[in-house]
């Protein structure tokens, strides 16, 4: 592996850009959280790395775009994966386009449709992302290919409730990027519903999850 350049420091990990066997690669290295007991920290980190590597592989089998895993190194707390150097986060795209063209503009609605379609494929297989923010959705510059990343909190065999929480997290993330996010989330759900027969049950659960979220906000 070639020398690495620090790209980002997230809440859990450092992201380096490097190359692996001649291919552009990303190293995601989870750092120690000093507030945790070291053994507990090791156990949590290993769980997250395994969950992430497993989910990335499952996504690719399902035809859901996700970076290819090149190498897993539990001792060094690392995953080496395919780099998507051109991609930006959906968060950045929503911020940019909603400021210049409005949240209901055609390119944003088309992107929302693609996100809904991709989530339907993920959820139809029972895969829960676990941290479905707009920063964990990457998109190519032409806004066509949407790629999911950051699966450390993911799990398989999710029921309607867990899948609905995924959608709720996404809804809150979109809302945090634009006050009038309803056209965007509405389009996500429309595409989600059209792509998967199980969607209705999840969207009904989402109403309950949303209500609980609101109550929690009111109680402070
Ligand atoms: N395979 C990849 N190709 C290109 N960029 C990537 C890739 N993986 C991660 N990134 C970039 O690094 C950022 C952080 O990655 P990731 O979400 O996996 O880590 P994180 O520690 O959970 O970060 P955060 O706390 O910000 O969510 C992403 O938002 C993205 O901009
Ligand atoms: Mg992330």
């Amino acid at each position: 592996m070639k020398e690495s350049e620090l790209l980002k420091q997230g809440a859990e990990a450092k992201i380096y850009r490097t190359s692996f066997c001649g291919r552009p690669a990303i190293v995601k290295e989870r750092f120690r959280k000093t507030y945790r007991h070291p053994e507990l920290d090791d156990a949590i980190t290993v769980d997250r790395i395994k969950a992430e590597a497993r989910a990335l592989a499952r996504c690719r089998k399902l035809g859901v775009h996700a970076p290819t895993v090149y190498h897993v190194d539990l001792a060094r707390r690392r995953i080496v994966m395919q780099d998507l150097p051109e991609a930006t986060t959906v968060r950045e795209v929503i911020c940019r386009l909603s400021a210049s063209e409005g949240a209901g503009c055609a390119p944003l609605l088309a992107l929302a449709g693609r996100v809904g379609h991709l989530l339907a494929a993920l959820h139809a297989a029972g895969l829960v992302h676990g941290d479905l923010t707009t920063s964990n959705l990457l998109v190519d510059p032409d806004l066509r290919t949407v790629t999911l990343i950051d699966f450390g909190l993911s799990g398989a065999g999710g029921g309607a409730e867990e899948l609905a929480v995924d959608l709720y997290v996404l809804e809150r993330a979109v809302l945090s990027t634009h006050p009038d996010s309803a056209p965007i989330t509405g389009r996500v759900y429309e595409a989600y519903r059209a792509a998967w027969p199980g969607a209705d049950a999840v969207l009904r659960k989402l109403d309950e999850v949303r209500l609980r979220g609101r109550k929690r906000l009111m109680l402070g």
Side-chain angles (χ1 to χ4, degrees):
M1 205 154 66
K2 193 185 85 170
E3 250 184 70
S4 317
E5 157 211 345
L6 183 65
L7 181 67
K8 262 183 196 151
Q9 161 124 29
E12 296 263 320
K14 287 181 179 165
I15 306 286
Y16 298 95
R17 190 155 262 165
T18 182
S19 79
F20 187 80
C21 299
R23 286 171 290 192
I26 287 282
V27 178
K28 179 167 179 176
E29 187 175 297
R30 293 176 180 272
F31 42 78
R32 271 182 200 285
K33 300 269 188 160
T34 45
Y35 60 79
R36 278 189 206 130
H37 187 281
E39 276 169 31
L40 179 65
D41 188 67
D42 282 344
I44 289 173
T45 301
V46 165
D47 278 353
R48 300 227 165 127
I49 294 173
K50 284 185 178 168
E52 179 147 35
R54 238 181 251 137
L56 287 170
R58 281 203 192 108
C59 279
R60 294 193 65 87
K61 275 194 201 129
L62 293 172
V64 170
H65 288 285
T68 307
V69 177
Y70 293 153
H71 182 65
V72 179
D73 187 338
L74 292 179
R76 293 174 78 184
R77 305 172 149 239
R78 286 173 159 193
I79 293 187
V80 185
M81 67 184 102
Q82 178 189 7
D83 185 12
L84 305 155
E86 304 279 296
T88 45
T89 64
V90 165
R91 181 184 175 83
E92 285 164 334
V93 174
I94 295 177
C95 289
R96 179 164 48 83
L97 284 181
S98 61
S100 61
E101 298 179 42
C105 69
L108 268 187
L109 294 184
L111 175 60
R114 291 193 176 101
V115 169
H117 199 264
L118 168 142
L119 295 182
L122 186 82
H123 282 180
L127 256 180
V128 181
H129 182 279
D131 186 20
L132 201 52
T133 64
T134 45
S135 304
N136 291 333
L137 282 160
L138 302 185
V139 62
D140 278 1
D142 64 4
L143 303 188
R144 286 196 174 274
T145 309
V146 181
T147 305
L148 266 175
I149 61 162
D150 202 0
F151 282 91
L153 298 174
S154 68
E161 168 88 23
E162 286 154 298
L163 302 179
V165 171
D166 253 3
L167 297 183
Y168 184 63
V169 170
L170 180 68
E171 186 173 296
R172 301 296 302 180
V174 176
L175 181 65
S176 78
T177 57
H178 198 277
D180 181 24
S181 59
I184 301 175
T185 42
R187 185 71 195 98
V188 170
Y189 300 147
E190 219 178 285
Y192 184 78
R193 186 176 274 129
W196 175 40
D200 281 330
V202 179
L203 290 169
R204 274 197 301 276
K205 266 281 178 233
L206 175 60
D207 289 335
E208 286 173 30
V209 172
R210 211 183 269 134
L211 215 60
R212 280 207 304 264
R214 231 173 264 143
K215 276 195 197 135
R216 207 168 299 133
L217 282 178
M218 276 187 327
L219 293 171

